[in-house]
Amino acid sequence: MIASDDAPPELLVEQEVDEWDHWRDELKWQPKRIETSVETLTPLYSRMGGAFPLLYEQLLLSFRWLEVDLKLIRLFANPPDPDFTGLTTEIFQDRIIADTLIPAGFIPFARSSINYDPICFDLNAMTSQRDCPILQFEHEAILCDFKIGKHWQRWASVRDLMSDVIFLDCE
């Protein structure tokens, strides 16, 4: 995966470049295992008004990454930092989308891979096992009219999304 010039150094990958590839000056990155305590999510949870689904929370607390296109969605970056400031910035970066969706219980964590539509956890339908449906929201109604317009369920649960991502290239 190609890294931007401002990528955190701890995510960059050392590369061996042979003489045929010396012209390629691309930085590569990979996710890094960085264990973080669950308490560090408290400020973000307070701001969101709820907690992430358990599988996503475990992913956040175990790994750090840059924005990544998973073919089905573009997952927001969770860069290395001590308190999830980078992830918080990603979630609240588009103020109109955040101010429209989050108070209604929809937490953006990704975008569509083909347009600007936010992909959200539906905290309103959180199960006792801390899993929930994943919805896609048409971005035009939010950005133009400051309201939730057309939306649809992309996955019934975070577990279903993860299964689809894992098995995407297995066919």
Side-chain angles (χ1 to χ4, degrees):
M1 293 178 274
I2 307 297
S4 62
D5 291 336
D6 61 345
E10 54 266 62
L11 297 182
L12 297 178
V13 177
E14 289 244 356
Q15 299 178 71
E16 284 189 27
V17 179
D18 64 28
E19 65 181 84
W20 292 102
D21 284 339
H22 73 281
W23 57 273
R24 297 177 71 179
D25 195 21
E26 298 170 335
L27 296 173
K28 305 266 188 201
W29 73 275
Q30 67 183 15
K32 181 170 181 154
R33 187 166 192 68
I34 299 176
E35 296 290 334
T36 312
S37 82
V38 71
E39 293 80 29
T40 56
L41 283 169
T42 302
L44 178 54
Y45 283 171
S46 294
R47 192 166 173 195
M48 289 176 4
F52 289 123
L54 189 57
L55 281 174
Y56 183 72
E57 179 182 272
Q58 291 170 340
L59 181 65
L60 293 176
L61 295 174
S62 301
F63 289 92
R64 298 305 178 102
W65 61 86
L66 300 179
E67 180 183 76
V68 60
D69 190 337
L70 299 173
K71 297 182 184 174
L72 301 172
I73 59 172
R74 286 190 327 260
L75 192 62
F76 288 167
N78 179 31
D81 60 43
D83 59 2
F84 295 101
T85 301
L87 178 63
T88 302
T89 299
E90 292 281 322
I91 291 169
F92 290 91
Q93 184 171 13
D94 190 314
R95 292 296 305 221
I96 295 171
I97 286 177
D99 290 348
T100 303
L101 294 174
I102 293 172
F106 306 114
I107 307 302
F109 71 98
R111 295 206 193 290
S112 164
S113 286
I114 58 173
N115 60 31
Y116 197 68
D117 288 355
I119 308 294
C120 300
F121 297 122
D122 182 359
L123 299 189
N124 303 301
M126 187 74 76
T127 68
S128 60
Q129 293 83 31
R130 279 190 52 203
D131 204 350
C132 65
I134 296 174
L135 307 179
Q136 181 169 340
F137 292 83
E138 178 250 344
H139 68 276
E140 287 90 355
I142 298 169
L143 297 178
C144 296
D145 301 325
F146 304 97
K147 68 178 185 178
I148 295 173
K150 188 173 159 189
H151 59 283
W152 54 96
Q153 182 174 298
R154 290 281 307 268
W155 291 276
S157 67
V158 176
R159 185 171 303 279
D160 289 350
L161 164 62
M162 289 186 171
S163 294
D164 282 356
V165 168
I166 291 167
F167 295 114
L168 185 65
D169 290 326
C170 293
E171 297 175 352

